[in-house]
Amino acid sequence: MLEARLSQSMVLKKVVDAIKDLVQDCNFDCNDSGIALQAMDNSHVALVSMMLKAESFEPYRCDRNIALGVNLVSLTKVLRALQNDDLVTLKAEDAPDSLNITFESSTADRISEYDLKLMDIDQDHLGIPDTEYAATVTMPSSEFKRICTDLQAMSESVTIEATKDGVKFSCAGDIGNGAVTLRNYQNVEKEHTNVDIELTEPVSLTFSLKYLVNFCKAQPLSDRVKICLSNEVPLLVEYLVTGTSYLRFYLAPKIGDEE
Amino acid sequence: MARTRASKGNDTASKDKAAATSASQSKYTISAPSNNPPKVFILPMKATDGARIVSLLHPRYAKPTRYLVCPETGFYEFTRITAPKSTPRSWLITTDDRKPQKADTGSEPVEADASFGTYVTNGAELFVATPIDPLFLILPTLIDPSSKSEKRRYISGDDHFDRIQQESPHLWEILRWGEGRVRDLLEARLGAVCDTVDAGDERMFRFSEDKLTAEVLSKARRMSTRTLPRSMEEKFVVKPLEAPVLGVKRETTTTITTASTLASAEIIQDDSSNSDSASGTPTLKIEASESGSSISLTDSSTSFASDASTTATSVIASEESIAIAEALLPAMVASPEVISLQRLRTAFNFICSSYVPSSLVTILQSKLPAQPEADFGPLDTYLSELNRLKQEAVIARSAGDYTRKRVMDDEELAERAEKKRKKEEDDKRKKIGESRGVRDLKKVNTAGMKKMSDFFKKKA
């Protein structure tokens, strides 16, 4: 039996909105530590990993492990009815056919209740090891989104080059080429605009911009984004949700002849 | 709308009622079907008034069967002719009332006229009586399971007939007919297949397998002097002797030829292409002259040989042209002798399978080759040659016939349609549950990008 009540209901909506453009159906794995999700896109070159910790919910109760197989488009349709200040409650039985979703208006004069049919989804779980990345860039999420969308107009892939001077996003396309370079930047008054670059060795990797732009749909979740790079391993793009809950995207780099 | 329907309903109901009442008041009543409906027979003119239908043991199937026996003219078997099930027919049987029927069957009073009116029979069965050699009817009496030919003793005709007394109850009856003429007839036929000895005033018989074989063979010979009935001739004489058409056969020989030249060409190709074409040409020419082929074959093969760098496709092309050029000539034609032998064998087998007890058939088949006047040698050589040709043709066809597709039956088609429908439905459902972002990502060029499973290993 699962019962999870989330006061910051918009988090759920934003998470689902961010994932739904990458994967179609996925399992929400619920256990006593929280609700987790891991899924790959159709081409299996990108992976999304979400963890909503039990602390994010109040209250949270999950007696045994439950996999909620959900079509994200359907879930989006239900979450469309969610209003800004609503409290959302997820309920499911131990072997559920459907997921019960309740929206309570904070003024408690309206309760909406939805039952979402679940499906059986066969998914492999990949073990993701903790990695020491060669370069970690923490920057405003809106900045990252802007760079990605701007460069997408020029080319379909971007080369991210991290050196001690800064991080350079460059691309070359049919109409020409372009590059955006960010340097370390500290602003004590507006901390969320800081750009932090931690580097152990220089890295240069190329990625599909379509995928990166897709990851940026998670931008409303957080005003900070962490980008981790290392040679020969997937790029990690992490958005912190609330507390230690996170939404992470992994993307395989483009190797070999570019374009 | 509803009203019209209602009125119509009433209409039909009343009609039904009318029909029902009229049926019950029918002018004519149909009498119950007769338990013993009349049958239609065609009897021979020459059969005398003393002829009767009796039950005798069928020689082949060892069951009591009806035969027409006439003390003067012999035995007749009945052949039943029926209309096929698809076109049911019936007889209308009437008697001519104007002429009073003569009581023509001798002593037996004709009970007909009173009870025998006009009939419509259910099935249009027709029984035709045709003469049968009484020899066949006494064949079962000759089977003595205990005996080998050396140990067989001479016994009297009566003792022979005794053997089937149980199964053939009417036999003793007919033996007394016509002041023993039937008996004389039977004993005479018995003599035809037995060694005989006169012991006093009684004749003793001992079954001779050789004599029976000769007798059946002579019957078969008489049967096969003219062509057999058409369906029989078609199925047992023409078809088995038919050879595969020459086109197929020639194809096989050319494949062998080209294959061998290709092989030789391959070996020599390492040396030089000049010597290759030089050695290739004579081989082909020899083969061509051996098979006594037309100019077209030589032409195509030389053109093939002149091209040193021939590819496999051109070989196939030349083969096909040969096949077309010489198609539809049978590889072998059966000589009249072979045909007549096949006919004789067919007739012999036919007689054996329809009139001779199965235990005797095996004996007859084994004795047949020993018969001096039946030399099936030419037929056998022809058939073995034919068999070889057919096998070759089959091999050639299975090797070259890659265009023949398997024919699907209805069930498979239905299954496939069902699968397709399911898949379409599945796809449709998937499309609905797919966001625009997911759809767009499908178009992304992921070349050069490794799969996630290459980086992260699966959890157990």
Side-chain angles (χ1 to χ4, degrees):
Chain A
M1 163 99 192
L2 166 79
E3 190 169 350
R5 185 188 174 106
L6 192 63
S7 49
Q8 292 172 286
S9 58
M10 272 306 164
V11 165
L12 183 67
K13 188 177 163 72
K14 286 171 187 169
V15 165
V16 172
D17 277 345
I19 302 170
K20 76 161 204 299
D21 280 343
L22 200 63
V23 292
Q24 185 174 320
D25 310 308
C26 61
N27 280 327
F28 285 82
D29 298 307
C30 310
N31 55 31
D32 54 2
S33 65
I35 300 176
L37 176 151
Q38 191 194 77
M40 281 184 278
D41 76 309
N42 280 320
S43 327
H44 286 210
V45 297
L47 184 142
V48 55
S49 169
M50 178 206 80
M51 181 70 210
L52 296 177
K53 294 274 174 64
E55 304 92 83
S56 311
F57 299 92
E58 184 56 42
Y60 182 85
R61 179 189 158 200
C62 183
D63 304 331
R64 57 184 68 191
N65 295 0
I66 303 171
L68 305 170
V70 171
N71 176 274
L72 290 175
V73 173
S74 312
L75 183 57
T76 311
K77 284 176 184 165
V78 172
L79 292 180
R80 208 171 281 162
L82 183 64
Q83 292 188 9
N84 230 340
D85 304 325
D86 285 359
L87 293 167
V88 63
T89 309
L90 305 175
K91 276 187 226 165
E93 288 161 26
D94 278 347
D97 293 327
S98 60
L99 171 66
N100 180 274
I101 305 172
T102 314
F103 306 134
E104 284 172 71
S105 157
S106 47
T107 53
D109 56 1
R110 174 174 49 79
I111 296 177
S112 327
E113 201 173 332
Y114 294 86
D115 280 316
L116 183 68
K117 285 182 191 162
L118 299 178
M119 51 208 281
D120 284 322
I121 300 166
D122 228 7
Q123 269 180 336
D124 294 327
H125 271 267
L126 301 180
I128 300 168
D130 284 332
T131 313
E132 289 292 320
Y133 286 95
T136 303
V137 180
T138 314
M139 61 190 283
S141 60
S142 54
E143 187 72 26
F144 180 57
K145 184 180 183 179
R146 192 179 172 79
I147 293 168
C148 289
T149 44
D150 285 351
L151 294 182
Q152 196 191 17
M154 300 281 290
S155 169
E156 65 174 28
S157 54
V158 59
T159 301
I160 305 178
E161 193 179 356
T163 58
K164 61 179 175 9
D165 294 334
V167 58
K168 185 181 175 191
F169 301 83
S170 59
C171 72
D174 293 338
I175 58 165
N177 48 41
V180 178
T181 308
L182 298 178
R183 294 210 174 85
N184 257 324
Y185 171 78
Q186 301 283 329
N187 187 332
V188 187
E189 281 168 27
K190 292 182 184 171
E191 274 197 342
H192 65 272
T193 57
N194 287 0
V195 176
D196 301 320
I197 302 171
E198 292 166 35
L199 193 77
T200 52
E201 56 172 327
V203 189
S204 175
L205 288 166
T206 306
F207 299 98
S208 161
L209 270 170
K210 269 261 173 63
Y211 275 90
L212 289 183
V213 168
N214 232 318
F215 295 168
C216 288
K217 299 218 166 122
Q219 184 261 326
L221 271 175
S222 164
D223 48 12
R224 304 289 288 170
V225 63
K226 191 163 85 178
I227 300 159
C228 305
L229 298 136
S230 248
N231 280 321
E232 308 289 320
V233 297
L235 161 84
L236 166 62
V237 179
E238 182 184 83
Y239 294 88
L240 287 179
V241 182
T242 52
T244 51
S245 299
Y246 60 79
L247 180 62
R248 289 176 184 160
F249 297 98
Y250 295 87
L251 180 63
K254 285 195 167 188
I255 300 169
D257 51 345
E258 286 151 32
E259 302 307 302
Chain B
M1 212 38 181
R3 242 172 63 163
T4 43
R5 204 184 292 153
S7 66
K8 240 185 198 170
N10 285 342
D11 235 24
T12 50
S14 61
K15 258 183 205 163
D16 281 352
K17 211 180 233 173
T21 46
S22 72
S24 63
Q25 293 171 350
S26 176
K27 225 173 180 181
Y28 304 100
T29 49
I30 297 169
S31 55
S34 163
N35 290 330
N36 192 13
K39 292 184 169 67
V40 179
F41 290 92
I42 294 181
L43 301 180
M45 295 283 280
K46 61 178 183 175
T48 56
D49 294 345
R52 291 288 177 275
I53 293 174
V54 295
S55 262
L56 296 174
L57 197 66
H58 191 281
R60 174 72 183 181
Y61 304 108
K63 271 186 201 158
T65 311
R66 308 262 185 202
Y67 290 91
L68 179 70
V69 179
C70 167
E72 308 297 330
T73 58
F75 291 69
Y76 302 87
E77 64 173 338
F78 288 114
T79 306
R80 197 178 76 157
I81 298 165
T82 49
K85 273 237 170 70
S86 52
T87 54
R89 287 172 200 175
S90 43
W91 291 111
L92 172 65
I93 306 164
T94 62
T95 44
D96 200 342
D97 287 338
R98 285 164 297 178
K99 276 192 247 164
Q101 283 236 324
K102 274 203 296 179
D104 50 0
T105 34
S107 55
E108 265 193 328
V110 178
E111 45 171 333
D113 288 326
S115 64
F116 195 90
T118 301
Y119 277 97
V120 175
T121 62
N122 203 355
E125 287 181 336
L126 176 65
F127 294 90
V128 182
T130 49
I132 181 176
D133 189 339
L135 166 67
F136 291 121
L137 297 176
I138 53 175
L139 275 182
T141 69
L142 300 173
I143 306 168
D144 187 355
S146 66
S147 68
K148 285 251 162 73
S149 58
E150 302 86 43
K151 287 184 195 158
R152 252 180 226 137
R153 284 177 304 167
Y154 285 93
I155 51 173
S156 71
D158 280 349
D159 291 338
H160 273 295
F161 300 141
D162 248 352
R163 287 198 185 138
I164 52 166
Q165 198 189 357
Q166 288 297 316
E167 292 92 345
S168 198
H170 291 168
L171 185 63
W172 281 107
E173 176 91 21
I174 60 167
L175 283 175
R176 289 199 302 273
W177 282 2
E179 294 102 34
R181 258 173 304 190
V182 174
R183 182 200 190 83
D184 292 344
L185 179 66
L186 283 178
E187 283 199 350
R189 294 310 298 153
L190 195 57
V193 295
C194 290
D195 302 325
T196 54
V197 152
D198 284 328
D201 57 345
E202 211 178 10
R203 253 184 141 191
M204 308 293 272
F205 301 91
R206 188 179 68 176
F207 174 50
S208 157
E209 287 148 355
D210 290 328
K211 275 194 172 175
L212 177 62
T213 313
E215 187 70 27
V216 173
L217 190 61
S218 77
K219 282 183 191 299
R221 194 167 293 260
R222 253 182 60 199
M223 184 175 165
S224 64
T225 43
R226 280 164 293 151
T227 57
L228 301 175
R230 218 178 103 212
S231 60
M232 234 169 133
E233 178 92 6
E234 190 79 3
K235 192 170 174 193
F236 295 106
V237 178
V238 177
K239 263 276 160 58
L241 295 181
E242 216 167 51
V245 287
L246 188 62
V248 179
K249 180 209 163 203
R250 179 56 50 81
E251 214 169 37
T252 67
T253 56
T254 44
T255 19
I256 294 160
T257 323
T258 46
S260 66
T261 44
L262 273 180
S264 66
E266 266 175 358
I267 296 160
I268 302 161
Q269 210 142 35
D270 297 332
D271 303 333
S272 74
S273 61
N274 276 349
S275 66
D276 166 23
S277 62
S279 70
T281 322
T283 359
L284 267 174
K285 281 214 169 130
I286 291 161
E287 291 281 351
S289 59
E290 262 178 7
S291 56
S293 74
S294 63
I295 301 154
S296 72
L297 173 62
T298 347
D299 275 350
S300 60
S301 55
T302 42
S303 73
F304 154 61
S306 64
D307 188 1
S309 60
T310 315
T311 56
T313 44
S314 72
V315 173
I316 291 164
S318 67
E319 249 174 59
E320 273 169 3
S321 69
I322 296 160
I324 291 161
E326 302 180 45
L328 298 174
L329 274 173
M332 297 169 76
V333 181
S335 66
E337 188 197 6
V338 169
I339 291 176
S340 72
L341 279 175
Q342 175 71 14
R343 240 178 237 154
L344 179 61
R345 179 175 280 178
T346 307
F348 185 84
N349 288 340
F350 172 71
I351 294 169
C352 281
S353 65
S354 37
Y355 294 112
V356 180
S358 48
S359 57
L360 285 177
V361 168
T362 44
I363 298 171
L364 286 184
Q365 300 282 21
S366 62
K367 291 273 176 191
L368 183 61
Q371 288 295 313
E373 63 266 38
D375 178 19
F376 287 108
L379 177 61
D380 288 335
T381 40
Y382 177 87
L383 283 178
S384 63
E385 175 71 5
L386 185 65
N387 206 18
R388 194 183 57 76
L389 272 179
K390 273 183 184 163
Q391 272 175 356
E392 261 178 24
V394 165
I395 291 165
R397 189 176 306 153
S398 59
D401 196 0
Y402 43 79
T403 56
R404 182 182 293 174
K405 285 184 179 160
R406 192 169 59 92
V407 184
M408 283 202 291
D409 52 27
D410 287 350
E411 208 169 291
E412 265 179 296
L413 278 175
E415 200 177 304
R416 182 179 271 200
E418 170 76 5
K419 256 189 196 162
K420 199 177 168 190
R421 201 179 53 77
K422 251 189 190 158
K423 197 168 174 255
E424 268 172 10
E425 234 168 53
D426 240 36
D427 284 355
K428 209 174 161 191
R429 221 186 13 244
K430 261 193 185 155
K431 221 161 241 169
I432 290 171
E434 201 176 60
S435 67
R436 218 185 114 200
V438 170
R439 232 180 0 257
D440 286 350
L441 277 186
K442 278 185 180 166
K443 293 174 198 154
V444 175
N445 173 19
T446 57
M449 293 164 83
K450 280 189 182 169
K451 296 260 157 96
M452 275 294 135
S453 48
D454 292 343
F455 300 107
F456 306 131
K457 292 296 153 240
K458 270 179 197 165
K459 267 189 199 167

